[in-house]
Amino acid sequence: MTLNLRIAIIGQSNFAADVLELLLERRNVEVVGVFTIPDKGSREDILATTASLHRIPVFKFASWRRKGIALPEVLEQYKSVGATLNVLPYCSQFIPMEVIDGAPLGSICYHPSILPRHRGASAISWTLIEGDEVAGFSIFWADDGLDTGPLLLQKQTVLEPTDTLDSIYKRFLYPEGIKSMGVAVDMVAAGTAPKIAQTEVGATYDPAMFKVENQMLNLQQPAANIWNFVRGLDSVPGAIATVIEQDGTEQQVRLFGAHLYSAGAPKAGRALRLKGLDKPAWVHEGGLLIEGTDGQFVNVRRLKRGAKMINASDWFKLEQVQQLQDFSEDELAKRELLSNIWQAILKLPIESNTDFFAAGAGSMDVVRLVEECKDAFDVPLENEHVFMAPVFEEFFVELVRALRQGSAGGAQQVSFEGFTLRANKREIPVPTQLFYGGEFVDAKNKQTLDIINPTDEQLLCKVACASKEDVDEAVKAAHTAFHGAWKQVSARQRGQLMLKLADLMEQHKEELATIESVDSGAVYTLALKTHIGMSIDAWRYFAGWCDKIQGNTIPVNPARPNNVLTFTRKEPIGVCGLITPWNYPLMMLSWKMAACIAAGNTCVIKPAQTCPLTALKFAELTVKAGFPPGVINVVPGMGSQAGQAVADHELVRKLGFTGSTPVGKHIMRSCANSNLKKCSLELGGKSPLIIFADCDLDKAIKHGMSSVFFNKGENCIAAGRLFVEDRIHDEFVRRVLKDLRTMTIGDPLNRSTAHGPQNHKAHFDKLLEFCDRGVQEGATLVYGGCRVPNLKGYFFTPTVFTNVEDHMFIAQEESFGPIMIISKFNGSDIDSVMQRANRTEYGLASGVFTKDISKALGFADRIEAGTVFINVYNKTDVAAPFGGFKQSGYGKDLGQEALNEYLKTKCVTIEY
């Protein structure tokens, strides 16, 4: 026969509240009273709150006895409920025997260990500290001893090497313990609950770990013992170690997130002295390495330094962070208002060291705190600010930091050395240092690059020139960010950062276009629309892809009777190296980097040696946008040094390159020889443009000129050779020359200018040689081929060659300049002109002008090029894939396909 039970629950916490909810489901159980701890300020324990919701009497006692004697008023209130069984799910108070024996059926108590081992208040901590192979809990009949009463039931689980105090509680002790408390009550009601006397064999009573003196970590022991001690106190309160600073002062820290470490001493790390440790500990990119007496290592991932939790790897970096102090009266008033907001949410008095989450806050409380702070202080905060600064004083400092930055322009500031560019009626501060790890720094060897203004051939500034050592530092920063802070940023948050960066680029587009014009010679209006405009478009386009990168489920053939689930994951590659050319400095950076970052990678970019300034100004904007340090790194330098170092580095897993075919071949060899890194190449071109007589001639002339002279001919998809049908050849040439004679050439900042200077002297000289070669081989130079007369700077006259034959150098090789190469063909011989168009090792782009749809689509079918333009030219879009065939390289920039260049596919198969 099952007894009807009148139960008194004595205890506290979520565990006790859940036991209460479970027992209320039983028809034979009436919970007649709940006895718990007093409120902390205005915040009551969850057990009391739950009991009140079910209209169960609640009693709150600060103490049950005084000087070892039960308080009469407490006993009277306990007896008033008439309980037949006491249930103690989780109880931190000492309950007198008058209460324990006050219920006719006695008292059952939950204890987190396999009794008799680990008696005492910190049993589960000692289960880990002692390195036990199993953990578990006991439900026993309380008596006048300390966890010594007869056993009712026990359960256990294998202790995993990855378990901590927190994890073993969440995965086993909590859920199984609640269910087992219900089972124990049922056994009592059924009269089947055993009373098994505890043996004293193997019995232990361990010290309480809530005492600070017991939390001190003994470093004079093997690594496994150090590891077990740290994980035994993980989550709370944390094992204590003492750091000895360089000046001899001591600072206590708490250690969290420990694991045994078998990779040996780090190659790169900084020594840190710990009191009681004979050898130095090492701060490295993975945390803090501590060597045990057995020569083995323990790695600690997180430290609590004062009230602030930090990554152990950031210990020395914090020395460089400027701490906020000397708060104004207004800021101190805001501190009081912030304290009131915290108190309203947490319902307890707020002190400097109040931890938001330790005080019981949940995810909805985070949202409420952020929104109330936005309303009260008009400051841009995100949920992440709460997680990174959960302690009140720490959160207040972050709030003040945000307020101060807001008054300076609403964005995070970054300091750098540079120069002020005074141009285009503007004064623009421009960085001239390397950028990695979130900071602008000088090159280690102090070497610099001379940056020449192509418009007047004058020295514009000197920019830091990265060495192999600088590239190594930048790659390590990217590697650390990829495996650290960047992994904590969700895909959607990544997209939001990219959109914020695009907005900043939009706000600064006139500055960026001005820098691009002065630094690379781009015509300002074109720089504004294309160089900068398409860069912004790229960041916004790929921002939309961040949370849409996904794999597939694949039907495979399982071995019956089992079933198999196979699916793929698209994952970021890691650290990506990017090497970009000088013709579109910011746009080429954005084409590659936006896809790279959207896919979840970090990157190191080596911009063109001759014009790195927009890349450096862009780096400044990434800080203001809030990108974590190390995600984006910019290392200007020479290709033979910095570029080679990026290609050779073993931590770089993908290289994206745009440049010449000979250099691309060298890059590909370096990628193979270093670590077989993934590689995508956008190389040279000799793009054919065929103009049939049946075309719209006005349109063909307009786009034909643009196909060659756009961006001064410094355009990878420029039409390197025009095939014009003989019936319109002369008229086409005549009208091209007419337009060229009226083209405005001059200062690229002048709004009426259509053609600016070539990028740099070496390229300018190469164009002169190219034209000389054409004349020597018999082509007809009908216009240009020389420097623009009476104009200082690298101004090259737009040039036209006719009567160009297939064997000539200028018919085969790319000029990468404003040189139109025209060959004639007969309209009846389409097969021949297609063969001539394909008779090149390049295959980047192509074009055709005709009103005949059959000719147009026939051309598209037969041409060997990655891009085909029909009755238009230079019409690219960030959503359309861009890349070439043959020796124009492989891989794609732009469009969805570009993401694949920066992703790897993992296949997962599960049998069930």
Side-chain angles (χ1 to χ4, degrees):
M1 179 178 176
T2 301
L3 298 175
N4 291 322
L5 302 178
R6 293 172 57 84
I7 290 179
I9 293 182
I10 304 173
Q12 66 196 79
S13 80
N14 284 296
F15 185 90
D18 282 349
V19 170
L20 168 61
E21 295 276 13
L22 183 71
L23 295 181
L24 290 175
E25 297 173 1
R26 285 159 168 75
R27 293 182 178 179
N28 65 315
V29 168
E30 179 185 2
V31 179
V32 294
V34 163
F35 298 84
T36 188
I37 58 175
D39 297 348
K40 294 180 179 178
S42 59
R43 194 179 184 96
E44 68 177 0
D45 187 79
I46 185 65
L47 175 60
T49 302
T50 305
S52 297
L53 289 173
H54 294 284
R55 300 187 179 184
I56 298 170
V58 177
F59 305 87
K60 301 175 182 179
F61 301 144
S63 177
W64 291 70
R65 61 180 188 165
R66 184 178 296 118
K67 295 182 180 180
I69 300 174
L71 296 172
E73 62 272 22
V74 169
L75 280 178
E76 183 179 348
Q77 291 184 66
Y78 165 73
K79 291 177 180 178
S80 70
V81 302
T84 57
L85 176 69
N86 295 328
V87 174
L88 285 69
Y90 177 82
C91 186
S92 63
Q93 297 173 306
F94 190 93
I95 310 302
M97 289 307 299
E98 290 88 340
V99 174
I100 294 295
D101 294 336
L105 295 175
S107 301
I108 60 173
C109 184
Y110 172 89
H111 184 77
S113 82
I114 305 173
L115 292 171
R117 185 165 170 76
H118 303 310
R119 294 169 177 165
S122 302
I124 186 57
S125 291
W126 283 99
T127 299
L128 290 160
I129 292 169
E130 294 292 329
D132 292 358
E133 294 184 358
V134 295
F137 58 83
S138 304
I139 297 173
F140 67 98
W141 296 93
D143 65 359
D144 59 354
L146 293 172
D147 310 331
T148 59
L151 299 173
L152 192 159
L153 67 80
Q154 292 182 317
K155 283 194 174 183
Q156 67 183 42
T157 183
V158 174
L159 195 60
E160 299 292 339
T162 53
D163 274 327
T164 63
L165 177 69
D166 197 39
S167 71
I168 188 62
Y169 180 70
K170 288 180 179 178
R171 77 170 175 83
F172 182 76
L173 296 177
Y174 189 104
E176 294 299 323
I178 290 168
K179 289 189 288 185
S180 293
M181 287 298 285
V183 170
V185 168
D186 291 341
M187 293 171 71
V188 173
T192 59
K195 293 186 177 180
I196 304 168
Q198 289 192 42
T199 175
E200 289 303 310
V201 177
T204 60
Y205 189 85
D206 303 305
M209 298 311 292
F210 54 76
K211 295 182 178 180
V212 173
E213 60 268 25
N214 294 333
Q215 298 163 10
M216 301 293 181
L217 173 60
N218 174 19
L219 294 169
Q220 289 298 316
Q221 55 183 334
N225 293 31
I226 295 172
W227 165 55
N228 282 328
F229 191 86
V230 174
R231 70 183 184 137
L233 276 69
D234 210 322
S235 187
V236 288
I240 297 175
T242 301
V243 175
I244 304 175
E245 304 283 10
Q246 290 184 346
D247 60 3
T249 59
E250 297 182 356
Q251 179 178 182
Q252 282 191 348
V253 295
R254 292 186 181 272
L255 314 182
F256 300 90
H259 63 93
L260 293 177
Y261 185 90
S262 60
K267 295 179 180 178
R270 290 183 63 180
L272 185 70
R273 291 176 61 199
L274 296 181
K275 190 174 183 178
L277 186 66
D278 297 334
K279 299 178 181 179
W282 294 95
V283 175
H284 68 124
E285 63 179 18
L288 175 67
L289 277 184
I290 300 172
E291 186 174 353
T293 54
D294 56 354
Q296 302 300 308
F297 288 92
V298 175
N299 190 59
V300 177
R301 295 191 185 95
R302 298 181 303 281
L303 303 175
K304 196 168 187 179
R305 187 178 188 176
K308 187 176 181 64
M309 185 75 78
I310 64 170
N311 291 322
S313 58
D314 292 336
W315 176 270
F316 291 108
K317 295 178 184 177
L318 294 179
E319 298 175 354
Q320 305 167 8
V321 177
Q322 184 178 3
Q323 300 300 317
L324 295 187
Q325 51 190 350
D326 299 327
F327 300 112
S328 67
E329 290 185 10
D330 180 62
E331 288 167 346
L332 291 175
K334 286 181 169 61
R335 186 183 190 280
E336 185 64 26
L337 178 56
L338 180 65
S339 176
N340 292 337
I341 293 173
W342 276 53
Q343 185 169 346
I345 295 172
L346 298 178
K347 295 182 172 56
L348 53 79
I350 304 302
E351 300 178 358
S352 295
N353 63 351
T354 299
D355 187 298
F356 194 69
F357 298 107
S363 58
M364 289 306 298
D365 296 316
V366 172
V367 175
R368 178 181 170 186
L369 175 59
V370 169
E371 293 306 313
E372 289 199 23
C373 286
K374 285 180 180 178
D375 290 341
F377 307 112
D378 190 26
V379 64
L381 289 178
E382 302 292 342
N383 293 0
E384 287 67 34
H385 287 92
V386 186
F387 292 112
M388 294 304 293
V391 176
F392 177 77
E393 193 64 28
E394 183 182 322
F395 186 83
F396 168 65
V397 169
E398 290 304 310
L399 175 67
V400 172
R401 196 186 305 277
L403 287 166
R404 291 182 182 182
Q405 289 169 352
S407 63
Q412 187 171 341
Q413 303 300 304
V414 59
S415 60
F416 57 79
E417 294 179 8
F419 77 108
T420 300
L421 175 62
R422 294 177 173 85
N424 205 19
K425 298 179 182 180
R426 296 176 178 275
E427 292 189 357
I428 307 168
V430 183
T432 56
Q433 296 171 288
L434 310 178
F435 178 78
Y436 57 78
E439 298 178 333
F440 284 97
V441 296
D442 290 330
K444 292 186 179 298
N445 58 11
K446 304 299 181 183
Q447 187 177 355
T448 59
L449 299 168
D450 288 346
I451 305 303
I452 305 298
N453 184 341
T455 300
D456 59 15
E457 303 179 49
Q458 297 299 306
L459 179 68
L460 187 60
C461 64
K462 290 182 178 288
V463 166
C465 180
S467 64
K468 181 178 179 181
E469 290 72 24
D470 292 308
V471 170
D472 183 58
E473 291 291 333
V475 171
K476 287 178 179 176
H479 181 74
T480 299
F482 179 76
H483 291 284
W486 197 228
K487 276 197 178 299
Q488 308 309 312
V489 177
S490 71
R492 196 158 296 170
Q493 291 167 336
R494 194 161 68 237
Q496 291 168 351
L497 281 173
M498 293 175 68
L499 288 172
K500 187 173 182 180
L501 175 59
D503 289 344
L504 284 167
M505 293 169 72
E506 183 87 51
Q507 293 169 25
H508 293 268
K509 65 182 179 181
E510 288 85 1
E511 291 183 0
L512 292 168
T514 301
I515 298 170
E516 197 93 322
S517 292
V518 174
D519 194 20
S520 74
V523 171
Y524 177 76
T525 51
L526 177 64
L528 201 60
K529 178 182 182 294
T530 301
H531 289 235
I532 312 306
M534 200 170 184
S535 298
I536 296 169
D537 288 347
W539 284 98
R540 286 179 174 153
Y541 171 80
F542 282 109
W545 272 111
C546 288
D547 59 358
K548 300 169 188 69
I549 298 170
Q550 54 199 23
N552 297 294
T553 56
I554 303 170
V556 296
N557 190 21
R560 296 298 182 189
N562 295 325
N563 295 308
V564 170
L565 170 65
T566 296
F567 62 91
T568 58
R569 292 166 52 96
K570 294 285 189 179
E571 297 181 352
I573 294 172
V575 180
C576 297
L578 307 175
I579 301 176
T580 50
W582 42 258
N583 58 328
Y584 294 101
L586 186 62
M587 194 174 81
M588 290 295 99
L589 174 152
S590 299
W591 281 22
K592 295 186 185 300
M593 194 186 294
C596 170
I597 295 299
N601 303 285
T602 58
C603 69
V604 176
I605 185 168
K606 204 292 286 183
Q609 175 180 336
T610 60
C611 48
L613 297 184
T614 42
L616 292 170
K617 188 67 177 177
F618 167 85
E620 179 192 354
L621 298 183
T622 68
V623 178
K624 293 183 176 182
F627 278 84
V631 173
I632 294 171
N633 308 274
V634 183
V635 285
M638 292 182 282
S640 59
Q641 295 178 9
Q644 188 65 55
V646 172
D648 288 341
H649 206 290
E650 292 188 353
L651 290 179
V652 174
R653 294 297 176 183
K654 159 69 202 286
L655 190 95
F657 172 79
T658 294
S660 71
T661 296
V663 175
K665 291 178 178 180
H666 178 79
I667 288 284
M668 191 173 178
R669 283 191 291 269
S670 297
C671 289
N673 291 336
S674 56
N675 60 350
L676 210 62
K677 58 174 61 70
K678 189 177 181 180
C679 183
S680 60
L681 305 171
E682 196 256 280
L683 307 176
K686 191 66 174 176
S687 301
L689 172 59
I690 299 178
I691 301 175
F692 286 97
D694 63 357
C695 69
D696 179 333
L697 188 56
D698 291 340
K699 190 175 184 181
I701 290 167
K702 174 187 173 183
H703 286 281
M705 290 190 66
S706 175
S707 75
V708 176
F709 302 118
F710 186 82
N711 199 49
K712 310 163 292 173
E714 296 170 352
N715 188 23
C716 52
I717 58 171
R721 190 177 180 192
L722 276 65
F723 296 90
V724 181
E725 190 172 341
D726 51 12
R727 289 185 292 160
I728 61 168
H729 175 274
D730 294 347
E731 177 65 10
F732 181 88
V733 173
R734 183 188 69 78
R735 290 182 57 177
V736 165
L737 296 180
K738 177 185 175 182
D739 287 350
L740 286 181
R741 292 187 183 101
T742 60
M743 181 182 285
T744 304
I745 302 173
D747 183 356
L749 290 173
N750 191 311
R751 302 307 192 265
S752 64
T753 296
H755 188 84
Q758 306 307 137
N759 185 273
H760 55 279
K761 187 177 186 302
H763 179 55
F764 179 85
D765 292 341
K766 177 187 170 185
L767 294 179
L768 291 173
E769 293 174 4
F770 188 91
C771 291
D772 288 343
R773 183 79 174 265
V775 172
Q776 291 169 15
E777 292 188 345
T780 302
L781 177 63
V782 296
Y783 192 84
C786 60
R787 177 189 286 270
V788 175
N790 305 316
L791 198 58
K792 189 176 182 180
Y794 306 130
F795 290 93
F796 191 85
T797 306
T799 299
V800 178
F801 277 99
T802 61
N803 298 319
V804 179
E805 298 178 10
D806 293 355
H807 64 84
M808 293 178 179
F809 176 83
I810 64 172
Q812 294 294 321
E813 296 300 323
E814 181 180 31
S815 71
F816 212 64
I819 302 174
M820 182 178 283
I821 308 296
I822 302 177
S823 297
K824 193 183 299 185
F825 75 96
N826 187 277
S828 67
D829 194 6
I830 295 178
D831 287 343
S832 293
V833 78
M834 287 303 306
Q835 290 178 25
R836 295 170 70 190
N838 282 329
R839 195 180 293 153
T840 171
E841 275 299 301
Y842 299 111
L844 188 56
S846 62
V848 61
F849 279 83
T850 176
K851 293 178 181 177
D852 186 334
I853 190 66
S854 297
K855 287 181 185 175
L857 295 181
F859 173 86
D861 287 343
R862 298 171 64 181
I863 197 68
E864 297 170 355
T867 295
V868 181
F869 297 112
I870 298 176
N871 294 328
V872 73
Y873 207 91
N874 284 329
K875 184 66 175 177
T876 55
D877 188 273
V878 293
F882 182 94
F885 301 161
K886 300 189 287 189
Q887 291 195 44
S888 286
Y890 57 87
K892 297 294 182 184
D893 289 323
L894 303 182
Q896 183 180 359
E897 288 195 34
L899 291 170
N900 294 327
E901 305 298 330
Y902 298 94
L903 292 167
K904 58 188 179 186
T905 301
K906 180 182 290 180
C907 181
V908 181
T909 297
I910 306 167
E911 186 173 86
Y912 62 97

